[in-house]
Amino acid sequence: MKSLLTYILILISTVSVTFAQPNYSKIKEIKVAYFTEKLELTPSESEKFWKIYNQYETERYALKKASKKPEGQKISEMTDAELYQWIDSSLDKKEKEAALQKKYFVEFKKVLPAKKLVKLINIEEQFRQFLFKQAQQKKK
């Protein structure tokens, strides 16, 4: 119980420092701690999981970056052809994201039991909400 309390205090202080100076590496550290705690990863699972997850996250980021609306263009100023192309690109991106998720969940199955895999599906959204709440509290 003491170790859990210590862990939570460290997590909170790390979050505070992170929002004082936004830094991707700090957010990454918090994410690792958050996921490891919520998924209750053993040291062995953690080592294998993070190797796969980091690859997954890199590929997912590349997909998101590739399908953004062209910078500087407002939707109201785009032609119908450009809008249709953007819609098609967005739909293709969603298909690719689903295929990527399926590919990596096959890999995650090799290192995580089913219950932890189900938790993983929700943890990413929970983490985003956690960061958002921390940022809001920091602004106050």
Side-chain angles (χ1 to χ4, degrees), residues 79-117:
T79 66
D80 285 352
E82 289 171 327
L83 289 169
Y84 286 131
Q85 184 179 10
W86 181 54
I87 291 168
D88 288 342
S89 174
S90 294
L91 293 173
D92 287 345
K93 178 194 130 208
K94 287 181 182 184
E95 287 177 353
K96 289 176 183 175
E97 284 176 344
L100 184 68
Q101 188 174 29
K102 191 171 186 175
K103 169 187 164 185
Y104 276 95
F105 272 68
V106 167
E107 295 301 312
F108 290 137
K109 278 189 212 179
K110 296 175 184 176
V111 298
L112 296 177
K115 288 180 182 178
K116 291 182 182 183
L117 196 55

Side-chain angles (χ1 to χ4, degrees), residues 7 9 20 36 55 58 62 67 72-73 78 83 86 91 96 98 119 126:
Y7 174 78
L9 288 173
T36 300
Q55 292 170 341
T58 299
S67 68
Q73 281 192 296
M78 294 172 74
L83 289 169
W86 181 54
L91 293 173
K96 289 176 183 175
K119 285 182 182 180
Q126 291 171 4

Side-chain angles (χ1 to χ4, degrees), residues 14-15 17-31 131:
T14 306
V15 169
V17 169
T18 297
F19 289 105
Q21 298 176 353
N23 182 328
Y24 178 75
S25 64
K26 292 283 185 187
I27 293 173
K28 182 68 175 172
E29 289 174 18
I30 295 167
K31 187 174 194 174
L131 286 180

